[in-house]
């Protein structure tokens, strides 16, 4: 209608429709009577233009404000204090993003099920599986996946996996890693038992059988576990590669699994073994809560070795507060150990990068001073990706296991809580930086931070990948890999749950998209990459079990409601197997 009217109205003015004889007087020559309309049109046109301009300005101002408050998902906003962005909405499921993660999970697990069902390791490029021992599979991959299948509702796949477990025998005549089998297989069985309604007795029986076969690892003069155990012969085996020493992460990351088993069975022997380990560690002198990575099971003492939060140290620090949360906060000794260790970390390991002030943790390496002959601890600005669990540990510690409202009232924090809160958030931001600053958007295994501002400027990043040889045909260093590790997304999940700040979801989404782009294989599964700074990427023929059990699970939870695995009622073991908190009845 409007269009037709508009088309008809100007006909008299249109040269195309005006008869050639018609004369159109210039506006100034029009007589007042005929020109009254024309004169009135001028100011109304002007008013209309002004109005349009005002509306456009207002719209632009509103749009600018909106963009500042809700940056588009592709923007990587690394400013933690961006007041315009920070808003705290209730934690609700993000269906689009969670479905995308679910699709990635199906693409991963179904490829494993098709190519390698029951195998301990999966090689998605050659479409095959392999086992850690010629004695047979130990359920390393499959049992590590069980609770993820339940969580994501893949019930048919779960049923097939559960039936495979029923036929599995742990009577395997070979040595297996005490720590790895505990966190993946024992933890996986216990979590699946809980999530399947605590009535599938087969799963609990399997857990008891496995734990009984692991117990001989603790038969040492000190009670510290040996690194390996022969499951068929029920015999502990010291680590041949490290002169029989055990690492503090191996010894201090068995507690959640063994204590929960005691709670379920009423048999306190499992708890007593792992509690004894903690007593041995506690009895040793530490550097403000920081401990060397190696101990000797013969004497129960520390051996002069690196102090670090990465490999061989990491999950010891993770399990301190988690032991406190697991038993419904009835064992305050672990809260205290956690707090002392966090102070020690802040005092001795936390550093700031030279130009952008990124907060990271360094390592302390014992070296003999040539001049004095004394052993000194030398600070090394190296940070493993493994260290990225620490942000979650710090934040969860402040909220006492997510028991505070979200977001918590920061003005109520004491001095140490404020420090830990700030430090946790800063460390997470740095971990995200090691993703978004690479060519692939994926983080390397290990970074070193520049200690001179000129180097950071010269190389364009605050950190670098060590041992990279110049030249196009050089093999990338092992530090440059990304093997689908979970620690950063683990911290993003926890940070989102305890702060409600949507920036953590944005960062997690960005990382997920990079995995999608560079690690997803069209034929099924996801693969590690050899160099995070190389395009196109080169894949390695391996999909780690923790991609399923941890990385994808944390991403799935990052986009879920807060009541899916509520953190005030569940404690996740270091392999992301959720175990319910309980009040001890048997000790
Ligand atoms: C996992 O097996 C566990 O999280 C362990 O504590 C350390 N690292 C891997 C994943 O990176």
């Amino acid at each position: 209608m409007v269009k037709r009217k508009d088309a008809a109205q100007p006909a008299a003015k249109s040269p195309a429709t005006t008869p050639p004889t018609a004369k159109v007087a210039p506006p100034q020559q029009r007589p007042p009577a005929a020109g009254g309309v024309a004169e009135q049109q001028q100011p109304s046109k002007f008013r209309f233009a002004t109005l349009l301009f005002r509306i456009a300005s207002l719209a632009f101002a509103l749009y600018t404000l909106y963009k500042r408050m809700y940056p588009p998902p592709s923007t990587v906003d690394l400013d933690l204090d961006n007041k315009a962005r920070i808003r705290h909405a209730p934690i609700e499921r993000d269906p689009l993003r969670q479905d995308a993660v679910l699709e990635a999970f199906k693409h991963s697990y179904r490829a494993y099920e098709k190519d390698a069902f029951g195998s301990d390791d999966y090689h998605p490029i050659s479409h095959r599986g392999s086992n850690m021992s010629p004695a047979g599979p130990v359920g390393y991959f499959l049992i590590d996946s069980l609770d993820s299948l339940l969580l994501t509702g893949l019930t048919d796949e779960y049923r097939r996996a559960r039936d495979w477990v029923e036929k599995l025998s742990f009577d395997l005549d070979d040595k297996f890693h005490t720590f790895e089998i505990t966190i993946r297989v024992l933890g996986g069985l216990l979590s699946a038992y809980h999530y399947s309604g605590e009535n599938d007795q087969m799963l609990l029986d399997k857990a008891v059988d496995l734990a009984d076969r692991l117990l001989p690892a603790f038969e040492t003069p000190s009670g510290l576990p040996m690194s390996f155990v022969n499951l068929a012969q029920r015999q502990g085996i010291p680590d041949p590669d490290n002169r029989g020493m055990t690492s503090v992460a191996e010894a201090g990351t068995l507690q959640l699994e063994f204590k929960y088993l005691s709670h379920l069975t009423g048999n306190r022997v499992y708890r007593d073994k792992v509690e004894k380990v903690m007593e041995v560690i506690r009895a040793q002198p530490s550097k403000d809560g920081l401990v060397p990575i190696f101990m000797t099971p013969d004497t129960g003492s520390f051996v002069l070795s690196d102090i670090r939060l990465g490999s061989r140290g990491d999950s010891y620090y993770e399990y301190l507060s988690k032991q406190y949360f697991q038993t419904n906060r009835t064992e305050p000794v672990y809260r205290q150990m956690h707090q002392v260790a966090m102070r020690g970390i802040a005092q001795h390991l936390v550093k700031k990068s030279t130009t952008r002030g990124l907060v990271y943790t360094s390592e302390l390496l014992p070296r003999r001073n040539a001049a004095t002959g004394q052993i000194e601890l030398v600070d090394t600005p190296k940070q493993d990706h493994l260290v990225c669990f620490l942000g979650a540990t710090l934040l969860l510690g402040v909220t006492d296991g997510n028991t505070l409202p979200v977001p918590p009232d920061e003005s109520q924090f004491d001095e140490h809580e404020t420090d830990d809160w700030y430090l946790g958030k800063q460390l997470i931001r740095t971990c995200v930086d090691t993703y978004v600053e690479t060519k692939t958007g994926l983080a390397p295994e290990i970074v070193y931070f520049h200690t001179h501002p000129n180097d950071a400027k010269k190389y364009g990043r605050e950190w670098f990948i060590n041992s990279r040889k110049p030249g196009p045909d050089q093999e990338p260093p092992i530090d440059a890999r990304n093997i689908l590790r979970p620690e950063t997304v683990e911290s993003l999940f926890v940070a989102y749950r305890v702060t409600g700040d949507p920036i953590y979801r944005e960062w997690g989404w960005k990382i997920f998209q990079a995995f999608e782009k560079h690690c997803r294989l069209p034929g099924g599964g996801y693969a590690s990459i050899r160099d995070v700074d190389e395009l196109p990427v080169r894949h390695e023929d391996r999909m780690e079990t923790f991609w399923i059990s941890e990385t994808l699970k944390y991403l799935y939870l990052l986009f879920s409601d807060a009541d899916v695995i509520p953190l005030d009622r569940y404690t996740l073991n270091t392999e992301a197997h959720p175990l319910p908190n309980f009040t001890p009845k048997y000790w």
Side-chain angles (χ1 to χ4, degrees):
M1 287 291 286
V2 175
K3 270 191 182 160
R4 271 222 313 268
K5 195 178 167 198
D6 284 351
Q9 289 282 30
K13 291 187 205 166
S14 164
T17 52
T18 306
T21 50
K23 267 203 166 175
V24 180
Q28 68 273 25
Q29 291 174 358
R30 284 183 179 171
V37 177
E39 273 181 12
Q40 281 163 20
Q41 275 175 350
Q42 272 297 56
S44 81
K45 263 188 188 168
F46 180 73
R47 277 205 301 275
F48 184 62
T50 312
L51 186 67
L52 263 185
F53 177 74
R54 284 194 180 142
I55 291 173
S57 307
L58 185 67
F60 182 72
L62 284 172
Y63 175 71
T64 311
L65 187 68
Y66 174 85
K67 293 285 275 187
R68 290 186 70 185
M69 289 177 68
Y70 305 100
S74 60
T75 305
V76 183
D77 177 2
L78 287 174
D79 181 3
L80 274 172
D81 301 317
N82 181 351
K83 296 281 185 294
R85 171 188 52 74
I86 294 174
R87 70 201 150 91
H88 298 279
I91 293 174
E92 284 166 354
R93 185 168 111 85
D94 180 333
L96 282 181
R97 289 177 174 183
Q98 194 182 47
D99 285 352
V101 176
L102 178 61
E103 196 282 324
F105 180 78
K106 289 176 183 169
H107 187 74
S108 304
Y109 184 80
R110 286 176 179 163
Y112 165 75
E113 190 182 43
K114 178 165 70 69
D115 294 339
F117 186 64
S119 299
D120 289 336
D121 291 310
Y122 177 38
H123 310 283
I125 296 175
S126 54
H127 298 282
R128 65 188 176 87
S130 63
N131 292 324
M132 294 189 298
S133 161
V138 70
Y140 205 61
F141 198 113
L142 186 138
I143 294 177
D144 214 12
S145 308
L146 285 178
D147 61 49
S148 297
L149 293 173
L150 288 168
L151 176 73
T152 52
L154 269 67
T155 44
D156 290 344
E157 285 83 353
Y158 174 76
R159 179 61 39 199
R160 289 193 286 272
R162 181 251 170 236
D163 291 348
W164 183 90
V165 175
E166 191 161 28
K167 297 189 198 93
L168 171 69
S169 167
F170 290 123
D171 199 33
L172 300 165
D173 192 5
D174 204 347
K175 67 173 192 179
F176 290 86
H177 204 288
T178 312
F179 158 80
E180 297 288 0
I181 297 299
T182 298
I183 65 169
R184 300 184 202 220
V185 185
L186 184 58
L189 286 169
L190 291 171
S191 194
Y193 173 70
H194 172 72
Y195 274 100
S196 57
E198 296 197 4
N199 52 23
D200 191 344
Q201 189 62 30
M202 181 278 290
L203 292 171
L204 185 57
D205 291 346
K206 289 282 176 193
V208 169
D209 178 39
L210 178 60
D212 288 346
R213 292 170 187 275
L214 291 168
L215 283 180
F218 298 90
E219 298 306 321
T220 61
S222 67
L224 291 181
M226 288 172 266
S227 294
F228 295 93
V229 63
N230 183 311
L231 293 177
Q233 292 176 22
R234 298 175 190 252
Q235 195 174 10
I237 301 167
D239 186 350
D241 294 334
N242 288 300
R243 291 178 284 127
M245 293 183 295
T246 191
S247 74
V248 73
E250 289 172 294
T253 318
L254 310 166
Q255 285 66 20
L256 296 182
E257 298 80 358
F258 279 80
K259 286 180 179 179
Y260 183 49
L261 187 60
S262 277
H263 172 73
L264 288 175
T265 60
N267 180 356
R268 58 177 289 168
V269 69
Y270 310 110
R271 177 263 177 193
D272 289 349
K273 292 289 182 195
V274 294
E275 185 66 7
K276 170 74 181 162
V277 172
M278 295 310 296
E279 283 166 18
V280 172
I281 295 175
R282 244 191 333 266
Q284 295 294 311
S286 74
K287 186 178 171 65
D288 300 312
L290 303 183
V291 292
I293 53 170
F294 281 118
M295 306 188 77
T296 169
D298 282 346
T299 61
S301 45
F302 287 116
V303 177
L304 183 67
S305 48
D306 301 355
I307 291 180
R308 65 179 184 225
L309 306 171
S311 63
R312 297 191 170 275
D314 50 0
S315 43
Y316 162 75
Y317 298 95
E318 177 190 345
Y319 266 31
L320 295 177
S321 57
K322 285 191 171 179
Q323 289 181 73
Y324 172 64
F325 302 144
Q326 181 186 42
T327 53
N328 279 329
R329 301 160 192 82
T330 55
E331 296 174 313
V333 64
Y334 292 111
R335 181 170 192 244
Q336 202 206 344
M337 288 178 81
H338 163 81
Q339 289 176 339
V340 171
M342 296 305 115
R343 296 286 77 68
I345 289 169
Q347 193 182 339
H348 301 291
L349 302 183
V350 170
K351 301 283 177 309
K352 253 189 188 176
S353 72
T354 49
T355 51
R356 286 171 51 216
L358 294 179
V359 177
Y360 66 95
T361 60
S362 60
E363 299 184 355
L364 298 176
L365 313 186
R367 294 283 179 269
R368 190 173 298 281
N369 182 316
T372 64
Q374 299 292 308
I375 297 287
E376 293 173 350
L377 289 172
V378 177
D379 193 280
T380 307
K382 165 178 175 272
Q383 184 173 285
D384 295 359
H385 187 280
L386 290 168
V387 179
C388 292
F389 78 94
L390 186 62
T393 298
L394 282 155
L395 295 180
L396 209 52
V398 174
T399 61
D400 216 29
N402 206 26
T403 55
L404 300 183
V406 178
D409 180 357
E410 294 179 28
S411 67
Q412 299 295 311
F413 290 167
D414 67 23
E415 186 195 339
H416 291 321
E417 288 166 341
T418 304
D419 289 349
D420 287 0
W421 193 248
Y422 174 81
L423 179 58
K425 293 205 273 189
Q426 293 295 322
L427 288 172
I428 294 171
R429 193 184 86 132
T430 302
C431 288
V432 172
D433 194 84
T434 65
Y435 280 77
V436 300
E437 290 289 317
T438 65
K439 287 189 183 157
T440 55
L442 293 169
E445 267 287 271
I446 298 173
V447 297
Y448 285 76
F449 284 80
H450 293 293
T451 49
H452 197 287
N454 286 350
D455 289 338
K457 283 191 199 108
K458 183 170 157 196
Y459 297 107
R461 283 196 301 222
E462 298 289 282
W463 47 267
F464 62 99
I465 298 169
N466 203 24
S467 315
R468 193 184 281 289
K469 297 198 185 97
D473 298 326
Q474 297 292 340
E475 276 300 297
I478 201 147
D479 295 5
R481 292 179 307 157
N482 180 294
I483 61 167
L484 313 170
R485 283 201 191 275
E487 290 77 17
T488 298
V489 293
E490 168 184 0
S491 280
L492 292 174
F493 155 63
V494 171
Y496 183 61
R497 281 285 177 96
V498 301
T499 66
D501 185 343
I503 195 71
Y504 299 111
R505 276 188 166 175
E506 297 308 330
W507 291 347
W509 180 242
K510 191 84 190 159
I511 290 172
F512 174 70
Q513 287 177 309
F515 280 128
E516 284 292 285
K517 190 165 176 192
H518 299 296
C519 302
R520 185 180 170 104
L521 302 174
Y526 288 70
S528 309
I529 60 169
R530 294 174 67 184
D531 185 348
V532 295
D533 275 330
E534 182 184 78
L535 288 173
V537 295
R538 275 183 286 170
H539 289 124
E540 288 183 331
D541 191 10
R542 193 170 172 85
M543 185 173 97
E544 297 283 347
T545 79
F546 47 69
W547 168 248
I548 294 267
S549 72
E550 292 196 73
T551 311
L552 286 174
K553 185 186 286 158
Y554 284 127
L555 283 165
Y556 185 84
L557 292 172
L558 176 64
F559 300 116
S560 76
D561 289 336
D563 55 7
V564 181
I565 310 183
L567 293 179
D568 57 337
R569 289 195 280 123
Y570 283 88
T571 300
L572 285 89
N573 89 337
T574 192
E575 192 72 5
H577 296 303
L579 304 173
N581 297 343
F582 59 86
T583 304
K585 280 186 290 198
Y586 305 108
W587 64 88

